[in-house]
Amino acid sequence: SVDRIANARLRDRVVSAEAAAALIQPGETVAMSGFTGSGYPKAVPVALAQRIEAVHAQGLPFQISLMTGASTAPELDGALAKADGIAMRMPFQSDPDARNRINEGKLDYIDIHLSHVAQHVWFGFYGDIDTAVIEVSAIREDGSLVPSTSVGNNKTWLDLAKKVIVEVNEWQPAGVDGMHDIYYGTALPPHRKPIPLVHANDRIGETALRCDPDKIVAVVRTNGPDRNSPFSPIDTTSEQIAQYLIEFLKHEVAKGRLPANLLPLQSGVGNIPNAVLAGLAKSGFRDLSAFTEVIQDGMLDLLRDGVLSYASCTGFALSPQANETFKEHIDFYRERIIMRTQEISNHPELVRRLGCIGMNGMIEADLYGNVNSTHVMGSRIMNGIGGSGDFARNGFLSAFLSPSTAKNGSISAIVPMVSHVDHTEHDVSVIVTEQGLADLRGLTPRKRARVVIDNCAHPDFRDQLNDYFDRASRESYGKHTPHLLPEALSWHQRWLDTGTMKA
Ligand code: 0RQ
C-alpha cells in the first residue's frame, strides 16, 4: 500500500510515541487534536501519561495544560487525567476520569463556547502554545497535512505552536482526503473580513492543513480506531421528544415560517438528538441540510437515504458499527460531507446567516426558559457547553430537549430557577420533554411559565410548580419575572438533603 507519509523529509522524522512524548516538558501548554471521539491522537498522550507517572513515582511534579477541539477520548483525556497529568483543561470534555477529577476540585477546567476557543487563543488569553499533537490521515508530498476525522482547532494549534508532533493514523480511511475545508481567511480585529460562506455546502478553503515543516519535531505512525460509545437503542421517551419536535417543525413549515426543506440543522450529541435524526428519517422531509459540529450515526443514515442532501461539521461521533459503514462508503460520504475548522463550523456570523435550527440536550430548564446544559445541582459539571451556545444565540431558532425527570423520577428537569445558566431566556425558543413542547417565542415571562409547566413538566411535579408560580406571582418583589428567592433553589437543596425534589 502507498506510504501515508509522502514527504521524504518528514518520513525521516518518524519516531516512537515514547520518543515523541519525551519532547514534551513539565509545565507546557499542549494543544491536541480531537473532537468528541474522533481524530484525537492515539499514541502520544498515552506515552506521555506513562512518562508523567514515572516522573511522579520519583516524587517530582509533571503536569501540562491541555487544550483540544472538544475531545472525549479515554486515550487522551482519560489517560492523562488518570496520571494526574493535567493542571488545566479546556474546552468541552466528557471522559469519566477527567470529569471526576474536575468535580473533586483537582483539575482546573475552563468551559467556553467552542467558537471562542481559537480566537481567544489567538487573542493571547491563554498564553503561548508550546506543543501541538495532531492526528492526520496522511502527509502529502508538499508536506501539507490531511486531517483525519476531525478538524477542531487543528489549524490554530499548527499555526501557533512552537513545536509540532504529528500522528499519522493508517486506520483512518485514505479516502477522507478531499472532505475537509480549511479556511485561511481569518484575521484578528480590526482586520477581519466577512466570511464568504452563504450555503452550508460552500467550500471556502483548502483540503489540507499547512504547517511549517521546521516546526515538526516528530512524526509517529499509528493504526488505531476512533472510539465512541454506541448509542442506546431509542427508547419511548426519546421517541416522544423527537415526535413533538418534528411535529413542531412541520407546523412551522405549514405556517410559512420555514421552507419545506427546513433550514440547516444543528444537532447535539447524545441519545435524544440521535432519536430526532431517526425521527426525521421517517417524517417525509427531503432535501434537508446540516450545518453542525458533530455527525453522529443518525446523520449518516439520513445522508445514505437521501433525506439529508449534505452536511457540514468539524468532527464525528460514530458507533463502532457506523465507523465501519463510513469507511466502507467513504467515496459516497466525501461527496456529501464537508469538515471545517471549529471556528467556522460554529461561527456566529455563519449560524446567523444560514439560519440554523439548533437542537441540543439540556440538564434542566426553568419556568422562564433559562437553560442549564452543564452543571448537575449547580456545581457538578457534566460535559461542558460545547457548541450549544453558539447555535442557541445565533440560530433561526433553538430547541432544548430532555426527559422531564432524571434519576428515577427524583429530579424534575423543569425547576423554578435553574441552578446554573448556560443559555439565558433570551436564547431559548423551544423546550421539549416527553410530556410535550413549549414554544416560548414571543411570550412574556409569566406566559412562558404557564406553557412550560403545562406542556413540559412531569405530572408528578406539576402541582408543586404551579404552587410555586402562583405564590411567586402574588408575593414576588417584582411581578415581571416572579420569584421567591429563598425558595427558588430549594428544590435542588431538597434533592441533596433527601434524595428527591418532591416536597
Ligand atoms: O447521568 O449518565 O449519570 O445517568 O445527565 O443525561 O438524559 O442521558 O442525556 O446524553 O443527552 O446528555 C445536557 C449532558 C444531556 C448533554 C447533556 C444526567 C443523567 C445522566 C446524561 P448518568 P441523558 P444526554 C454539540 C452540543 C451540552 C453540550 C452540547 C450535553 C446524564 O446534552 O452535554 O449541547 N449538553 N453540545 O442522569 C441531574 C438533571 C439531569 C441529570 C440529566 N436535571 N439533574 N442529572 N442528568 N438531567 C456537541 C458538542 O458541543 C461537542
Side-chain angles (χ1 to χ4, degrees):
S1 66
V2 185
D3 193 332
R4 294 283 186 102
I5 309 174
N7 178 285
R9 232 175 115 197
L10 293 176
R11 211 181 298 133
D12 287 344
R13 294 204 195 136
V14 171
V15 295
S16 68
E18 291 69 30
L23 301 169
I24 297 170
Q25 303 310 321
E28 282 195 3
T29 295
V30 183
M32 299 203 191
S33 63
F35 199 94
T36 62
S38 65
Y40 55 92
K42 310 288 188 288
V44 174
V46 175
L48 178 62
Q50 283 162 357
R51 181 161 161 243
I52 288 172
E53 276 168 354
V55 171
H56 287 173
Q58 296 172 324
L60 297 169
F62 193 159
Q63 285 191 318
I64 59 164
S65 290
L66 177 64
M67 304 176 188
T68 71
S71 79
T72 57
E75 295 98 323
L76 198 175
D77 299 279
L80 287 166
K82 270 190 205 155
D84 196 20
I86 310 175
M88 189 282 283
R89 169 76 169 75
M90 82 100 169
F92 190 87
Q93 51 73 43
S94 76
D95 174 83
D97 289 301
R99 180 192 291 139
N100 285 341
R101 276 180 170 70
I102 294 166
N103 284 318
E104 285 163 7
K106 294 178 183 157
L107 196 168
D108 285 344
Y109 173 54
I110 304 176
D111 185 28
I112 69 175
H113 294 299
L114 292 184
S115 75
H116 278 172
V117 180
Q119 70 162 6
H120 284 181
V121 174
W122 279 101
F123 294 166
F125 297 173
Y126 289 87
D128 291 346
I129 294 180
D130 298 295
T131 306
V133 184
I134 309 293
E135 178 183 278
V136 304
S137 63
I139 302 179
R140 290 188 187 152
E141 200 169 353
D142 66 1
S144 61
L145 308 173
V146 182
S148 67
T149 40
S150 69
V151 180
N153 292 307
N154 294 354
K155 175 196 165 286
T156 293
W157 302 157
L158 291 169
D159 284 350
L160 293 178
K162 294 176 200 157
K163 59 182 190 286
V164 172
I165 297 169
V166 177
E167 286 194 8
V168 183
N169 187 355
E170 291 231 13
W171 179 87
Q172 298 286 8
V176 79
D177 192 346
M179 196 179 263
H180 309 97
D181 188 64
I182 315 297
Y183 182 59
Y184 276 93
T186 52
L188 300 186
H191 304 292
R192 279 188 171 157
K193 301 256 164 53
I195 296 166
L197 185 149
V198 292
H199 302 107
N201 61 343
D202 284 346
R203 287 193 163 273
I204 59 172
E206 304 169 17
T207 52
L209 292 155
R210 304 174 191 165
C211 183
D212 174 1
D214 291 338
K215 288 207 302 194
I216 301 182
V217 292
V219 178
V220 177
R221 291 186 195 269
T222 63
N223 190 346
D226 279 341
R227 275 222 273 172
N228 279 290
S229 25
F231 294 101
S232 334
I234 294 169
D235 58 12
T236 45
T237 303
S238 314
E239 208 157 61
Q240 279 167 332
I241 293 171
Q243 279 319 313
Y244 283 118
L245 182 60
I246 289 164
E247 275 167 34
F248 168 78
L249 293 173
K250 287 186 171 167
H251 175 254
E252 291 301 296
V253 173
K255 286 277 174 192
R257 287 189 285 256
L258 280 173
N261 66 340
L262 304 178
L263 287 165
L265 303 173
Q266 177 262 347
S267 165
V269 286
N271 293 317
I272 295 172
N274 214 43
V276 172
L277 297 171
L280 281 170
K282 296 180 281 187
S283 63
F285 281 112
R286 300 296 293 178
D287 204 16
L288 303 177
S289 63
F291 192 80
T292 190
E293 303 136 282
V294 192
I295 290 187
Q296 49 180 335
D297 291 24
M299 235 178 233
L300 282 195
D301 296 345
L302 292 183
L303 284 165
R304 180 200 59 206
D305 299 340
V307 176
L308 195 63
S309 299
Y310 51 83
S312 164
C313 70
T314 192
F316 289 89
L318 301 179
S319 66
Q321 197 191 340
N323 254 328
E324 290 311 314
T325 311
F326 175 72
K327 286 173 71 170
E328 207 175 303
H329 301 285
I330 188 72
D331 293 336
F332 174 87
Y333 288 116
R334 194 179 52 249
E335 299 301 312
R336 290 162 181 82
I337 295 173
I338 299 179
M339 298 185 73
R340 310 179 189 279
T341 60
Q342 93 188 40
E343 63 192 310
I344 296 295
S345 68
N346 284 44
H347 203 295
E349 175 190 334
L350 303 179
V351 173
R352 176 79 57 107
R353 180 179 298 142
L354 296 172
C356 293
I357 299 173
M359 310 182 291
N360 291 292
M362 63 175 185
I363 301 269
E364 60 183 5
D366 70 23
L367 299 181
Y368 303 111
N370 299 287
V371 165
N372 170 9
S373 290
T374 54
H375 287 76
V376 172
M377 303 299 139
S379 59
R380 181 171 276 270
I381 189 103
M382 200 65 209
N383 305 322
I385 192 167
S388 53
D390 298 321
F391 288 87
R393 171 148 307 168
N394 302 296
F396 181 86
L397 55 80
S398 168
F400 284 94
L401 324 170
S402 170
S404 63
T405 61
K407 306 285 176 205
N408 298 319
S410 66
I411 293 175
S412 174
I414 307 299
V415 289
M417 182 185 264
V418 286
S419 57
H420 175 94
V421 192
D422 292 290
H423 312 291
T424 72
E425 52 164 335
H426 315 287
D427 299 328
V428 178
S429 333
V430 168
I431 291 172
V432 197
T433 69
E434 82 290 352
Q435 301 296 321
L437 180 145
D439 179 0
L440 307 181
R441 295 171 304 166
L443 298 187
T444 58
R446 280 182 295 164
K447 289 196 171 121
R448 274 181 243 151
R450 240 337 16 111
V451 69
V452 167
I453 297 172
D454 290 348
N455 296 10
C456 296
H458 192 279
D460 287 357
F461 290 101
R462 231 173 258 163
D463 289 348
Q464 215 176 304
L465 285 164
N466 275 321
D467 172 58
Y468 175 86
F469 180 60
D470 291 344
R471 285 184 295 113
S473 296
R474 287 195 302 271
E475 298 162 28
S476 181
Y477 176 60
K479 300 288 187 284
H480 180 253
T481 306
H483 266 307
L484 302 170
L485 295 181
E487 255 185 66
L489 296 170
S490 64
W491 292 36
H492 299 84
Q493 191 59 48
R494 189 179 308 120
W495 188 82
L496 291 170
D497 292 341
T498 70
T500 178
M501 281 187 173
K502 285 176 197 152

